[in-house]
Amino acid sequence: MPETAISLSPSAREAIAEALNQSVAETAVTTMLAQNFHWNVTGMAFGPLHALFQEIYEDHFQGQDDLAERIRALDAHAEGMLAGMLKRSKVEEADGTQSDKEMIERLMKAEEQLASTLSGLEHIASEAGDTLTEDLAIERGRTHEKFAWMLRAHLQG
């Protein structure tokens, strides 16, 4: 039977919250990566990349809020310190001096990492019967795979 956040066992809530915090951290770093690239992209594809990077960081800002609010629904602490997020994240920062192609590749890999992290969250939530977190992880994972595909398309041809 599906569980609500508060009816989950303490150990299940802890495991899910940990996976959610990993997702928030990687989403926050990827958000800043996209915004940094939005500010600093140059080249012949400036217009479309500038717009795509903005679409990505605007989506991700809302996504990290949704993930963090789910952590709070589980009665756990949502990591809110940038240093903590950077330490936890498998996505690395960039200084924005990369070429447009390098920006696309870095952001594509970040999106793929996020999709993978969210797939892991989905599995943890599913095992615990937390269908609401499972649904959120699937929705966010689908979004990150879409952005990875859109970025990958810029590198083809």
Side-chain angles (χ1 to χ4, degrees):
M1 176 174 187
E3 301 278 348
T4 61
I6 209 66
S7 68
L8 293 166
S9 73
S11 63
R13 286 198 317 267
E14 183 179 333
I16 294 165
E18 179 61 30
L20 279 161
N21 267 310
Q22 180 71 34
S23 301
V24 170
E26 291 177 8
T27 304
V29 174
T30 304
T31 301
M32 196 64 233
L33 195 66
Q35 191 164 34
N36 187 358
F37 292 167
H38 167 80
W39 292 332
N40 291 298
V41 69
T42 59
M44 292 297 294
F46 167 80
L49 289 176
H50 186 74
L52 177 57
F53 295 159
Q54 181 173 351
E55 180 183 353
I56 290 170
Y57 75 71
E58 287 176 348
D59 168 82
H60 291 16
F61 186 79
Q62 181 62 52
Q64 62 187 311
D65 190 57
D66 293 342
L67 293 163
E69 288 179 353
R70 186 63 187 160
I71 294 168
R72 295 301 301 141
L74 292 162
D75 199 29
H77 177 76
E79 174 67 66
M81 293 181 58
L82 295 176
M85 290 181 191
L86 285 168
K87 184 177 180 180
R88 182 187 299 263
S89 179
K90 293 178 185 172
V91 175
E92 295 184 13
E93 291 182 293
D95 63 11
T97 61
Q98 294 76 18
S99 71
D100 56 351
K101 183 179 177 188
E102 291 169 327
M103 288 178 178
I104 295 165
E105 288 173 351
R106 297 266 318 246
L107 198 50
M108 179 188 71
K109 288 178 182 172
E111 296 295 341
E112 291 169 348
Q113 175 60 52
L114 265 164
S116 175
T117 296
L118 286 156
S119 179
L121 168 61
E122 180 275 327
H123 179 74
I124 292 166
S126 176
E127 290 287 313
D130 181 0
T131 57
L132 299 178
T133 300
E134 183 181 1
D135 182 63
L136 176 60
I138 291 168
E139 176 189 341
R140 291 304 310 158
R142 192 176 297 126
T143 297
H144 294 293
E145 281 200 339
K146 176 185 169 191
F147 282 128
W149 156 68
M150 293 172 82
L151 291 159
R152 192 175 308 106
H154 280 274
L155 299 173
Q156 296 172 338

